[in-house]
Amino acid sequence: LSRRQQGFEYPWGRHLTRNCEGLSIARGLGRRYAVVMIKEASIVSHADIIIIGAGIMGASIAFQLSRQSDKSIVVIDARPPVGGMSGRTFGQIRQHYSNALMVELSIRGFDTLENWGDRVGFGDPGYVKMGYMLFVASNQIDALKRNIQLGQDLGVDTRFVGPDEIKHIEPGLTVNGLTGACYEPNGGYIDVTR
């Protein structure tokens, strides 16, 4: 679809319009941005940065850019924030990954959750700490242990647990036939729609 067919008309640097209902816009004003639901045609006279999509990636990018620059930021989405696939996730929070970059990013994410008031300044992330346990087939135990070691080397509280400890952590599980699992006590979930 062309820009006009999408309902957008924008000679770059002048304005941005959308002629349909239900448009979500987040604007960067200095170091802050707000999410506004637009019910009719709207014009944004200036935007230094335009982000398409108000899911977890678009919202996070807008938030970080607004904190680190004085650019005006506009987030455009046909749905409310996290109204698409991001709002359908079950919000699992963990630090167990098979590569260092993902572990390091998850550590930063946990740090943000733990210091929400200082980092974000408003709201509540809805983090529920309940632990994270990953079971694998017996032929995957060595790889699991490598991932555990990687996490531990980077500072993650994680460990290998055998059937007896699994039963102690989660008494409702039947451990017959289980070889072991990764256990991360700080894992949990969040309500991504908050």
Side-chain angles (χ1 to χ4, degrees), residues 26 33 51-65 73 75 86:
Y33 72 95
I51 299 170
I52 307 298
I56 191 67
M57 298 303 287
S60 178
I61 290 167
F63 176 74
Q64 292 301 327
L65 286 172
I73 301 162
V75 177
S86 293

Side-chain angles (χ1 to χ4, degrees), residues 129-188:
K129 179 180 170 180
M130 58 183 284
Y132 169 80
M133 197 175 296
L134 174 67
F135 302 95
V136 297
S138 59
N139 65 344
Q140 297 174 323
I141 291 292
D142 290 338
L144 178 73
K145 288 181 177 180
R146 281 192 301 272
N147 294 346
I148 292 169
Q149 188 61 54
L150 171 66
Q152 290 173 338
D153 291 347
L154 293 170
V156 176
D157 181 7
T158 184
R159 67 183 185 273
F160 181 82
V161 290
D164 291 340
E165 193 171 0
I166 292 169
K167 187 72 171 173
H168 177 73
I169 294 167
E170 190 55 57
L173 286 177
T174 301
V175 296
N176 298 345
L178 291 179
T179 309
C182 160
Y183 178 61
E184 182 186 317
N186 293 323

